[in-house]
Amino acid sequence: MTPRHPLTPGRAGTASAALALVLASAAAGSPVSAAGGEGGEVPQGTVVYRVTAQFTTAGRARALLLHPDSKKLYVGSDDLPETTQATESGLHVLEPADGKVRSTVSQAPGPTGTLGRRAVRQLVAPLPGDGAVFVYPLRGIGTAKDGDAAAAGAWVPGGPVTDAAPGPTASTVLVAQGSVLSEVDIATAAVKRSLTLEGGERFAYDRARGTVWFTDFGNRRTYRVDLASFTVTATVELPAGESSAGFTEVDPETGAVWVALDTSVVVHDAAGKPMGTVKGGAGADMPRAAGFDAATHEAFVVWQDPGDTSQPGSDGDGALTVHRTRDLKEAAAPVVLPGNHAQSGSAAVAVQPGGATVFVSDPAAGRITRLERSTSPRITRSPEDRTVAAGAEVALTAQAEGTPAPTVVWQVSADAGRTWQAVPGATSATYSFKAAAADNGRRYRAEFTNDAGVGRTAPATLTVTAADTTTGGTAPTTGGTSGTDAASGTSGTSGTSGTDGSTAADGGAGSAGGSAGSSVGGSGAAGSDGGASGATVGGAGTTPAGGALASTGTAVASLAGGALVLTAAGWVLVRRTRPRRTTG
């Protein structure tokens, strides 16, 4: 039982709130109320991402991959300009929780096979179990895993690799070398087939539909390539603009293609039909990376500031936005990424399946930001109005969902909800106390809090009635024959034997079976030597001892006219007679 709840200013401390909740009263049960609430600082169920860590252990991070099997965070990096003497280029393997470096693979083969320190510009695909396929300048395709002394790799013939994606088989990758799209063997870098398009340098592969979307930013169009035939099957025109090249990504769930142009993202469905445009960031921010999560049906877009304060709208800060893939609407509040600009290269993003954690790189600052998903409390059950007698035990309980699990504090209002004060010590899901007369009309609510915001239940009003006195009373000490008759409902009269208990020597013990004019017991005080049998059905007229029966106002004779015989258990009611006092 929690402490009483004086209306004391201040907020009590919080504790973890249980989410399996029940509403009950010791005096009587009541139905559980429906979900609801008065809201809080943000709408219930609002999703936000908050920064929980920043890692500066992997140089200038250019690419991120969260391995689906080993759960390790792979980072492709090159050197920061101000730390060229340090060995920061290469493939770094980090612990996702704290950024601790597990290992760094900095050596990879050059065009002649000679090992050398290589930067990693793009992570293409995870290897089974652990490790990654990656691209390193200028035409290298490499593979390595945690703990390797050096990467395996080969150089693709032709021009510099401008983009890459997993291939249609586990042993190949797709690469763009400007406007040339090729399928290349990972181990040897041998070109298996290729296609030259009209223009472009960035693309995305939709494995589920066997389609490649190859974007020609200069001509403001994207080409749909059927991978089985390696031919262009459609051309989709893009909105006119300044031709600022961003990313091309495909949502693996829906097949929609997302193309970053200037300061927006243009989205077409799997057939090339326009779905809409995504805006985000602030001012001149440019979309530079995107990731998708099939579990939440959401897209995560990283926006970078141009980094040129002479441009209108440039403030030096980037942003992370989250959008529903079905209708492109925001699914979470935007997160500002201070100092994230594009002067030192494009940012990268990696999304944990389920969207609980997101990693964003900041090449200019040489850091990786870890963000975690929080959901503001959503009230699923509010306490219900109660009516109890003074002195009865009351238990009020509320329910809320949220990530992380919200804490709770109960609040009370003595002015019909105009002002609220915390109940000291009431920091668990169920708040129990004894109702007092002074609590009548007070309102109670639970306030749930977590990192994403505050949610409050709908208030419950407590009505406190006078204490129940029907179970008390002073019972006569002896009973008589009339008491027995009263129990059986077969005798007792409204005459001198019980009508006036103040004068009758036997205390009106038979009045319960008397005329309807008497009220269960006698009208006066209990007889001085009335028996316990008389107390069972009525006792004193002032405080009947019959409890629940007496409080109903129902005559004892209504017990189906049956005689109540208490002999088998050894209860024998014997009328003790006394000489009747005669008058005058």
Side-chain angles (χ1 to χ4, degrees):
M1 177 173 174
T2 61
R4 286 291 302 149
H5 50 276
L7 291 173
T8 304
R11 179 189 178 97
T14 58
S16 296
L19 296 183
L21 307 166
V22 179
L23 176 62
S25 167
S30 59
V32 176
S33 65
E38 295 187 323
E41 297 172 353
V42 297
Q44 295 186 36
T46 297
V47 176
V48 299
Y49 279 86
R50 56 192 178 91
V51 175
T52 58
Q54 289 188 323
F55 313 148
T56 57
T57 52
R60 181 162 61 172
R62 303 293 295 273
L64 301 174
L65 185 150
L66 193 60
H67 200 283
D69 301 325
S70 69
K71 312 304 180 185
K72 300 169 186 175
L73 180 63
Y74 279 77
V75 183
S77 299
D78 56 17
D79 293 331
L80 288 165
E82 62 271 22
T83 59
T84 54
Q85 301 303 314
T87 304
E88 296 177 313
S89 294
L91 182 68
H92 300 273
V93 187
L94 307 185
E95 293 287 357
D98 56 12
K100 181 180 178 181
V101 179
R102 296 178 57 92
S103 65
T104 297
V105 182
S106 59
Q107 301 287 309
T112 63
T114 303
L115 288 176
R117 200 177 82 179
R118 313 291 179 187
V120 174
R121 297 290 177 83
Q122 186 175 3
L123 291 166
V124 180
L127 291 173
D130 192 24
V133 182
F134 57 91
V135 173
Y136 58 96
L138 294 171
R139 295 177 281 117
I141 303 295
T143 59
K145 64 180 183 300
D146 183 17
D148 284 350
W155 282 57
V156 182
V161 174
T162 57
D163 203 0
T169 69
S171 63
T172 64
V173 294
L174 297 171
V175 300
Q177 294 167 284
S179 61
V180 179
L181 175 67
S182 301
E183 183 182 359
V184 175
D185 182 78
I186 294 174
T188 65
V191 176
K192 300 176 71 69
R193 53 182 176 163
S194 64
L195 169 69
T196 300
L197 296 103
E198 294 181 32
E201 58 182 12
R202 305 296 297 272
F203 71 96
Y205 173 40
D206 181 4
R207 182 184 297 274
R209 296 158 189 83
T211 300
V212 169
W213 292 94
F214 201 102
T215 303
D216 181 352
F217 290 97
N219 293 312
R220 306 294 281 196
R221 63 181 63 132
T222 186
Y223 309 103
R224 186 177 66 194
V225 177
D226 176 66
L227 205 60
S229 62
F230 232 59
T231 59
V232 175
T233 57
T235 299
V236 176
E237 298 296 328
L238 300 174
E242 299 176 359
S243 301
S244 174
F247 58 78
T248 300
E249 298 288 353
V250 167
D251 175 14
E253 181 185 15
T254 65
V257 56
W258 293 52
V259 179
L261 297 171
D262 307 319
T263 58
S264 63
V265 181
V266 178
V267 184
H268 293 77
D269 66 14
K273 180 180 179 181
M275 290 180 59
T277 300
V278 171
K279 294 285 187 178
D285 286 356
M286 304 174 297
R288 284 296 178 263
F292 299 90
D293 179 58
T296 59
H297 315 293
E298 293 171 350
F300 298 77
V301 182
V302 179
W303 306 75
Q304 288 181 285
D305 188 83
D308 183 357
T309 56
S310 65
Q311 291 189 31
S314 177
D315 58 5
D317 296 335
L320 172 71
T321 60
V322 186
H323 309 269
R324 297 200 298 257
T325 55
R326 301 304 176 96
D327 58 15
L328 311 185
K329 293 182 179 179
E330 281 191 350
V335 182
V336 174
L337 302 173
N340 199 323
H341 61 76
Q343 289 293 309
S344 296
S346 295
V349 63
V351 181
Q352 183 185 65
T357 306
V358 179
F359 299 89
V360 178
S361 71
D362 183 347
R367 68 183 171 218
I368 300 168
T369 299
R370 174 189 167 108
L371 303 102
E372 293 184 4
R373 185 186 189 100
S374 297
T375 306
S376 67
R378 184 177 70 86
I379 306 302
T380 57
R381 182 174 295 169
S382 290
E384 188 177 80
D385 293 346
R386 300 306 307 274
T387 298
V388 298
E393 188 82 6
V394 177
L396 302 176
T397 312
Q399 180 176 353
E401 298 174 341
T403 305
T407 58
V408 63
V409 62
W410 285 85
Q411 297 176 335
V412 61
S413 174
D415 55 9
R418 288 187 292 274
T419 61
W420 292 88
Q421 294 176 358
V423 179
T427 56
S428 60
T430 299
Y431 169 42
S432 301
F433 61 95
K434 270 190 177 179
D439 297 329
N440 183 48
R442 285 182 173 173
R443 297 184 182 184
Y444 300 85
R445 71 183 184 188
E447 181 181 86
F448 291 89
T449 305
N450 67 6
D451 293 328
V454 174
R456 302 182 184 96
T457 66
T461 300
L462 180 64
T463 301
V464 182
T465 62
D468 186 357
T469 60
T470 60
T471 59
T474 302
T477 58
T478 61
T481 303
S482 59
T484 304
D485 295 327
S488 65
T490 58
S491 65
T493 66
S494 60
T496 59
S497 62
T499 302
D500 188 358
S502 61
T503 59
D506 58 4
S511 60
S515 67
S518 60
S519 57
V520 184
S523 60
S528 60
D529 56 351
S533 61
T536 302
V537 293
T542 303
T543 307
L549 181 61
S551 65
T552 63
T554 304
V556 178
S558 66
L559 296 175
L564 181 63
V565 181
L566 305 176
T567 58
W571 289 83
V572 180
L573 308 182
V574 180
R575 178 169 182 172
R576 299 176 60 187
T577 60
R578 297 176 62 183
R580 184 183 296 258
R581 179 181 298 177
T582 58
T583 59

